[in-house]
Amino acid sequence: MKFENKVIYQIYPKSFYDTNNDGIGDLKGITEKLDYLKYLGIDCIWITPFFISPQKDNGYDVADYYNIDPVYGTMEDFENLSKEAQKRGIGIMLDMVFNHTSTEHQWFKKAISGDKKYENFYIFKNGDGENPPTNWVSKFGGNAWEYSKELGMYYLHLFDKTQADLNWENPEVREEIYKIVKFWMEKGVNGFRFDVVNLISKPAVYENDYIGDGRRFYTDGPKIHEFLKELNKNTFGKDEDIITVGEMSSTSMENCFKYSGKDENELSMVFNFHHLKVDYKNKDKWALQPFDFQELKDIFNSWQVGMQENNGWSALFWCNHDQPRIVSRLGDDKNYWKKSAKMLGTVIHMLRGTPYIYQGEEIGMTNPYFDKITQYRDVESLNYFEILKNKGLLSEEAMKIVMERSRDNSRTPMQWNSNKNAGFTQGTPWIDVIYNYKDINVEEQIKDEDSILNYYRKLIELRKKYEVISLGKTIPLAEKHKNIYMYKRVTEKEELLVISNFYGVETSIELDFDIEEYENILNNNNENTKLEKIMVLKPYDVMVFHKTK
Ligand code: GLC
Ligand code: CA
């Protein structure tokens, strides 16, 4: 599958659609909604992990990579989903978690029961006197080592203590991983997303980090490119139809050139998160600040240009199951809900790369503003609520931060209609439905021509219609403007111009290039906007112009 002109839709099965009314979405639920996805126009779905798992991290803690967690269904359900998706020309990408396994995995159980072969599947180290082997911090809070009383050693867990990091230095581990990938390839899947895959190569020596949390030792680690090339060669490398994307945590652009480089034989494309840290205070997710617009533009512009000059390819996204809803975060979900959602969608879809839509984004789902800690389910949110209070914050202060930053912001049930529980389930949903589902739901938006949903359909149609959207080079414009984000995309034959206002105030810009022959092909202000020398933009306006050279 060529990926330049594709649009990928991310499904978090737990919250997508529940068919047996146990309150948890399932694989049959995805199958039932395939016609909706076809209507939206996407090419491929990425389904987050549905393998056997104790669900401490909602499936990112895999206990058995070959079988499906009964809560989501059976292998037959998967095969049926796959068949029905194919009928509609929709591909399926699976989410492979190979940095770590659940501590419930057989390998880990054998390891702690004294089986030396499996001990070497993980990273067990002796403590430093009374202390853990290093002072590294887990991404979910606390020290990154857990003591195993069975072995009298510590094991590394960059995430939850029930997610033990695998030892990729061990060739037997790598062989097992190839086997798993090949198993799913034989089932006919069309692609893979590799979870936090740039963390798999650990340093030769484990030492304390006196200036950071340890990430500099294992992020884009020493053998990462070797490992990815070997994974590629032994599994999907020969299959041109497979799309692969790596989730790259705190990565660098130089490494992404290689991860996604055309002739590097690693992956098709990469997710990076730098643009989603512009509202972190001093890089701390758990400290609030208004988003830094200049920084956001600088990041987009430098990555767009850097990646195109070095034959890299980016996955484009605002939302996923780990991020708060973008309309609540960079848009204005109270006063300009519809306009700001459309503006944000346009800006990301017109960039160079492959766009990903996260379930509910296409209808402008918002953050839920849960104000009781009992409404939260995510292990990271629950941990940090305690960590913040232990740092001396009042309960209300900690709640305010969690409310804005929690991963549960995007994990609430998909809003299908205005019936009970937004039509997600007849039972009790595993996490609360957002209060606004009667106004924001799929059924309403299918009927409304001006809806966010119908606008996202246009964004996808445009990609299929104008080659410049998938193939053009990006030229950043108005790089220092205080309110406007603007760029061109160009090929030899076509040109695309995107102008957007990121704020709820009117603004303007003088264009210093030839404005003739541009045709407006999309806007969110219901006016047939003409390009003018001095462009005035109303709050959250976005406009896309096209010209054939
Ligand atoms: C990735 C996933 C996230 C998970 C983590 C550990 O960041 O997107 O949901 O918690 O990896 O597997
Ligand atoms: Ca269910």
Side-chain angles (χ1 to χ4, degrees):
M1 232 197 236
K2 268 187 47 210
F3 48 80
E4 289 86 354
N5 67 347
K6 301 279 185 289
V7 177
I8 298 173
Y9 187 89
Q10 185 194 347
I11 294 181
Y12 198 67
K14 209 173 188 126
S15 300
F16 194 59
Y17 187 56
D18 175 23
T19 55
N20 64 349
N21 298 318
D22 62 354
I24 301 173
D26 38 55
L27 292 179
K28 278 189 175 147
I30 303 177
T31 311
E32 283 201 24
K33 296 296 182 183
L34 284 171
D35 284 333
Y36 166 69
L37 298 172
K38 183 74 195 159
Y39 161 83
L40 179 57
I42 52 97
D43 300 283
C44 196
I45 52 179
W46 146 30
I47 313 174
T48 64
F50 48 74
F51 313 107
I52 302 243
S53 159
Q55 304 287 331
K56 296 275 193 253
D57 186 22
N58 290 359
Y60 283 93
D61 45 331
V62 181
D64 175 356
Y65 295 91
Y66 295 100
N67 286 293
I68 290 169
D69 200 299
V71 97
Y72 295 121
T74 62
M75 191 58 88
E76 204 189 326
D77 293 340
F78 177 76
E79 283 161 357
N80 190 42
L81 165 61
S82 177
K83 192 178 89 211
E84 291 298 320
Q86 243 152 51
K87 265 194 214 161
R88 291 163 179 81
I90 294 174
I92 295 184
M93 272 169 99
L94 298 192
D95 200 330
M96 309 312 281
V97 190
F98 291 142
N99 177 67
H100 44 265
T101 74
S102 164
T103 50
E104 298 287 304
H105 196 287
Q106 281 308 314
W107 301 337
F108 192 83
K109 288 190 175 165
K110 285 184 186 157
I112 55 169
S113 72
D115 187 328
K116 287 283 172 206
K117 169 179 155 109
Y118 289 100
E119 185 182 315
N120 195 29
F121 267 46
Y122 296 90
I123 301 165
F124 283 97
K125 299 275 175 209
N126 288 318
D128 179 7
E130 287 295 286
N131 297 319
T134 70
N135 64 354
W136 300 359
V137 182
S138 150
K139 307 261 180 195
F140 291 165
N143 185 273
W145 298 91
E146 183 71 12
Y147 187 68
S148 153
K149 54 182 184 323
E150 293 86 352
L151 296 190
M153 284 188 285
Y154 292 80
Y155 63 88
L156 180 67
H157 62 89
L158 295 182
F159 294 87
D160 187 56
K161 63 173 187 283
T162 64
Q163 293 166 299
D165 280 53
L166 281 166
N167 175 18
W168 274 71
E169 296 290 329
N170 179 354
E172 286 179 311
V173 168
R174 304 202 298 274
E175 282 303 327
E176 288 291 345
I177 285 167
Y178 308 150
K179 253 172 57 191
I180 298 165
V181 174
K182 284 190 274 192
F183 172 84
W184 288 102
M185 282 176 64
E186 276 158 29
K187 292 249 168 239
V189 307
N190 310 82
F192 299 100
R193 175 231 189 223
F194 293 102
D195 189 63
V196 291
V197 75
N198 68 326
L199 310 184
I200 58 177
S201 169
K202 309 298 195 279
V205 192
Y206 286 75
E207 53 187 310
N208 281 327
D209 191 350
Y210 295 109
I211 58 169
D213 60 7
R215 73 181 66 193
R216 66 197 171 101
F217 295 123
Y218 57 74
T219 303
D220 302 321
K223 292 195 188 157
I224 184 64
H225 297 289
E226 190 185 311
F227 289 159
L228 286 177
K229 284 182 165 66
E230 197 186 289
L231 169 70
N232 173 304
K233 185 163 157 249
N234 285 285
T235 58
F236 53 81
K238 279 165 242 84
D239 190 336
E240 295 218 323
D241 288 336
I242 296 251
I243 301 182
T244 54
V245 55
E247 185 200 25
M248 304 303 176
S249 168
S250 302
T251 189
S252 74
M253 216 193 292
E254 289 66 32
N255 277 294
C256 287
F257 301 157
K258 283 202 181 169
Y259 294 140
S260 67
K262 223 177 180 162
D263 305 312
E264 294 288 343
N265 297 320
E266 295 188 14
L267 303 169
S268 319
M269 64 183 105
V270 284
F271 285 112
N272 84 75
F273 296 88
H274 297 289
H275 64 298
L276 293 176
K277 295 182 180 173
V278 296
D279 54 2
Y280 291 6
K281 193 170 180 178
N282 304 322
K283 305 221 147 87
D284 179 1
K285 171 170 176 175
W286 303 97
L288 306 179
Q289 80 167 20
F291 78 98
D292 183 333
F293 182 51
Q294 189 58 50
E295 194 187 352
L296 178 74
K297 294 207 294 183
D298 291 347
I299 291 167
F300 276 148
N301 291 339
S302 61
W303 277 78
Q304 284 282 299
V305 172
M307 289 293 264
Q308 77 198 5
E309 282 175 356
N310 292 279
N311 285 316
W313 195 257
S314 293
L316 306 168
F317 73 109
W318 284 127
C319 301
N320 68 27
H321 63 293
D322 297 328
Q323 299 290 332
R325 294 288 183 177
I326 203 65
V327 67
S328 302
R329 189 173 180 185
L330 301 190
D332 178 346
D333 65 6
K334 305 273 175 321
N335 305 304
Y336 294 101
W337 165 68
K338 196 193 272 192
K339 272 195 93 177
S340 61
K342 289 179 180 178
M343 183 279 286
L344 291 163
T346 314
V347 160
I348 206 89
H349 277 245
M350 295 297 121
L351 286 171
R352 178 181 178 276
T354 299
Y356 285 67
I357 299 171
Y358 176 65
Q359 65 185 48
E361 177 183 345
E362 77 278 19
I363 56 167
M365 275 179 66
T366 65
N367 284 349
Y369 301 99
F370 292 153
D371 58 5
K372 289 191 252 344
I373 195 65
T374 50
Q375 291 177 287
Y376 290 85
R377 300 286 174 269
D378 175 28
V379 54
E380 185 200 43
S381 308
L382 299 174
N383 287 351
Y384 270 94
F385 185 65
E386 291 309 316
I387 293 171
L388 291 170
K389 285 194 302 182
N390 290 338
K391 273 192 185 159
L393 269 72
L394 296 172
S395 208
E396 304 86 87
E397 293 167 332
M399 191 68 258
K400 203 172 154 232
I401 296 175
V402 169
M403 191 190 286
E404 206 160 303
R405 293 292 147 87
S406 171
R407 305 194 297 176
D408 284 336
N409 279 316
S410 55
R411 297 177 178 185
T412 65
M414 178 73 180
Q415 295 169 196
W416 294 105
N417 55 42
S418 57
N419 301 341
K420 186 178 158 206
N421 298 325
F424 163 71
T425 182
Q426 299 295 321
T428 307
W430 70 277
I431 187 169
D432 287 352
V433 173
I434 307 183
Y435 65 91
N436 59 21
Y437 72 90
K438 293 212 159 113
D439 299 316
I440 302 179
N441 66 63
V442 170
E443 201 174 278
E444 285 301 318
Q445 293 198 25
I446 287 178
K447 289 188 272 184
D448 173 8
E449 218 190 301
D450 187 46
S451 65
I452 299 170
L453 175 58
N454 277 309
Y455 190 92
Y456 265 77
R457 293 176 67 217
K458 280 187 213 145
L459 288 173
I460 300 171
E461 274 169 28
L462 290 182
R463 175 167 296 264
K464 311 292 174 188
K465 185 165 169 196
Y466 299 106
E467 213 177 48
V468 63
I469 298 175
S470 30
L471 301 182
K473 277 177 81 165
T474 301
I475 304 178
L477 298 169
E479 282 157 276
K480 298 283 172 217
H481 197 289
K482 295 267 179 295
N483 302 62
I484 288 178
Y485 179 46
M486 170 157 108
Y487 55 86
K488 275 188 189 175
R489 305 284 313 287
V490 293
T491 61
E492 278 179 5
K493 290 178 268 172
E494 289 173 278
E495 232 180 82
L496 195 82
L497 171 67
V498 179
I499 314 181
S500 66
N501 178 2
F502 261 71
Y503 289 91
V505 291
E506 190 169 296
T507 187
S508 67
I509 185 163
E510 183 168 354
L511 303 180
D512 60 0
F513 50 84
D514 188 5
I515 60 167
E516 272 158 47
E517 286 162 49
Y518 278 103
E519 179 202 357
N520 181 244
I521 55 169
L522 188 69
N523 67 66
N524 67 348
N525 53 26
N526 296 323
E527 283 162 34
N528 190 12
T529 316
K530 233 184 99 223
L531 201 55
E532 318 260 8
K533 260 284 151 214
I534 296 184
M535 284 298 283
V536 178
L537 280 87
K538 303 227 175 71
Y540 295 105
D541 262 0
V542 69
M543 290 163 240
V544 183
F545 298 90
H546 178 264
K547 90 172 175 196
T548 312
K549 290 197 205 162

